[in-house]
Amino acid sequence: MGVQPSNPHDALFRSIMQRDGQLAGELQIALPPELVMRIDWSVWRYIPNDLVAPGLECRQTDLFVETRFDGAEALMYIHVEHQSRPDPLMTFRMGEYMFGHWRQYVDRSEKVPTSLPVILPVVVNSGPRNQPWRYSTQFADMFALAEDARAALTRYLPTFDIIVDDIAAISLDELAKRPIPAAALLVFALHKSASKNPDLVQTLAPVIEKFQNLENEPGGMIDLRDIIGYIVEVGDIDDDDFVELIDQFGPRAKEVAVTTAERFRAEGLEKGRVEGLTQSLLSLLTAKFGDVPTDVEDHIHAADPDQLQSWTLKILSATTIGEVFE
């Protein structure tokens, strides 16, 4: 099965955070100080994050990093999951991911391992609804037990805590003071404020200098491209406000911003055209032949505009749904 598709908020988080220094900078603020001091931040390797576990579909987790704890003494993984809103089953999901990683570790080992690496589960709660985290971070709380029953059973039940960096619970002004890389900070700022916000330029005033900082950071123009693309995709910013925003950039950043916005808008128009043709074809097929089989739907969703138009014309003369696609 294919990887579950991500929403634009997850996609921006992944694209920025997997670049040098972004995730490490964020985690050095999000994690408890006693852990930050003992993680070897010079050993940092992103590893493939597609999980295939028995009975589960293929899933793409957000970010999975290999590092070391207490120098070279202990192999350690950090699993970072982005959430656009709180999830009551998040501790369960993180446990599922952790056991999936351990399953892969065992399967890929040359010899049967006698121990497992530590996996640190981290959730970053940051999204357009700005809903603060309100669920327990302890897996043990997933079990509905009376206190006396919990005391009797605790040693026999799996238990761990997840670390939640609750970006949704802080203001944009507070966020602007975070000592993290500019691109990472802008991801969170835009999660909080970009979606369908016609006053985005004014809203972003506390972090506008972070856009300017990108021009001088390694890979900053690539980060800016993804950030502008996100603004165009989820925002409600008109041309005048967009010009007002990028007028505060340097010349190189302004050029990247204009080019990116033009490309994303063109892709958006083409995507809308394809979606319209697809829905029209499906509606006509349903009206004439009844329910459309799943494999036919998949075939239609994978088609280009010319093919969709050709099939639509064939409906007039076709006597079976199969004839449409001959």
Side-chain angles (χ1 to χ4, degrees):
M1 286 185 158
V3 171
Q4 293 177 345
S6 64
N7 60 50
H9 320 299
D10 287 344
L12 180 66
F13 179 87
R14 288 178 189 169
S15 66
I16 298 296
M17 290 297 181
Q18 66 185 351
R19 295 184 185 133
D20 287 349
Q22 301 295 331
L23 182 61
E26 152 64 7
L27 290 177
Q28 288 175 40
I29 299 300
L31 299 183
E34 61 270 22
L35 296 184
V36 172
M37 291 187 297
R38 299 174 69 178
I39 292 172
D40 188 345
W41 299 98
S42 67
V43 180
W44 195 259
R45 184 171 73 93
Y46 292 97
I47 63 177
N49 57 2
D50 288 352
L51 293 179
V52 183
L56 297 175
E57 67 272 30
C58 178
R59 295 185 179 180
Q60 186 180 61
T61 61
D62 283 336
L63 295 166
F64 195 54
V65 178
E66 179 183 306
T67 183
R68 294 278 170 176
F69 193 72
D70 285 342
E73 294 301 315
L75 174 67
M76 180 183 195
Y77 295 110
I78 305 177
H79 178 124
V80 182
E81 197 73 10
H82 171 253
Q83 281 294 116
S84 295
R85 59 187 176 187
D87 181 355
L89 289 176
M90 198 67 222
T91 54
F92 169 76
R93 286 177 51 204
M94 291 301 276
E96 193 176 30
Y97 291 144
M98 291 160 70
F99 276 94
H101 290 306
W102 283 322
R103 177 77 264 171
Q104 285 189 339
Y105 178 82
V106 171
D107 290 344
R108 293 171 181 176
S109 298
E110 293 183 4
K111 298 179 180 179
V112 177
T114 58
S115 62
L116 297 172
V118 170
I119 300 175
L120 193 64
V122 180
V123 175
V124 179
N125 181 43
S126 169
R129 299 185 183 183
N130 287 306
Q131 296 178 347
W133 198 264
R134 60 183 184 275
Y135 301 113
S136 173
T137 58
Q138 299 180 337
F139 184 76
D141 288 338
M142 293 298 300
F143 303 105
L145 295 171
E147 286 305 312
D148 59 335
R150 186 178 298 278
L153 292 169
T154 292
R155 63 180 295 187
Y156 307 109
L157 300 174
T159 179
F160 62 88
D161 289 8
I162 61 173
I163 297 169
V164 176
D165 187 16
D166 199 3
I167 302 292
I170 64 177
S171 69
L172 201 57
D173 288 325
E174 292 176 287
L175 177 63
K177 298 174 184 176
R178 272 200 169 198
I180 62 176
L185 193 145
L186 286 171
V187 169
F188 299 143
L190 291 169
H191 279 171
K192 293 175 90 55
S193 60
S195 185
K196 298 180 174 59
N197 181 2
D199 300 316
L200 181 60
V201 178
Q202 290 72 31
T203 305
L204 290 177
V207 298
I208 200 67
E209 68 176 290
K210 304 299 180 181
F211 284 95
Q212 299 160 355
N213 293 346
L214 285 181
E215 190 154 10
N216 300 314
E217 292 191 357
M221 293 301 94
I222 297 175
D223 295 334
L224 181 63
R225 179 197 64 196
D226 291 345
I227 287 167
I228 293 298
Y230 177 80
I231 291 173
V232 173
E233 183 174 2
V234 309
D236 188 23
I237 186 170
D238 62 27
D239 290 343
D240 289 341
D241 286 340
F242 183 73
V243 170
E244 182 182 347
L245 174 65
I246 66 173
D247 273 347
Q248 301 174 73
F249 299 176
R252 193 158 64 100
K254 186 183 294 187
E255 181 181 354
V256 169
V258 170
T259 303
T260 302
E262 290 174 348
R263 178 171 63 83
F264 269 82
R265 283 170 174 163
E267 289 175 357
L269 290 172
E270 179 63 13
K271 181 180 179 181
R273 175 171 172 258
V274 171
E275 289 177 351
L277 289 170
T278 298
Q279 292 307 313
S280 294
L281 176 57
L282 287 170
S283 296
L284 290 170
L285 288 172
T286 301
K288 186 165 185 177
F289 303 111
D291 291 342
V292 178
T294 301
D295 60 333
V296 174
E297 278 198 42
D298 292 342
H299 189 44
I300 290 171
H301 282 293
D304 59 41
D306 291 340
Q307 189 65 73
L308 291 169
Q309 289 178 322
S310 175
W311 289 335
T312 300
L313 291 174
K314 287 185 178 181
I315 292 176
L316 297 172
S317 57
T319 57
T320 66
I321 195 168
E323 290 180 10
V324 175
F325 302 97
E326 290 178 351

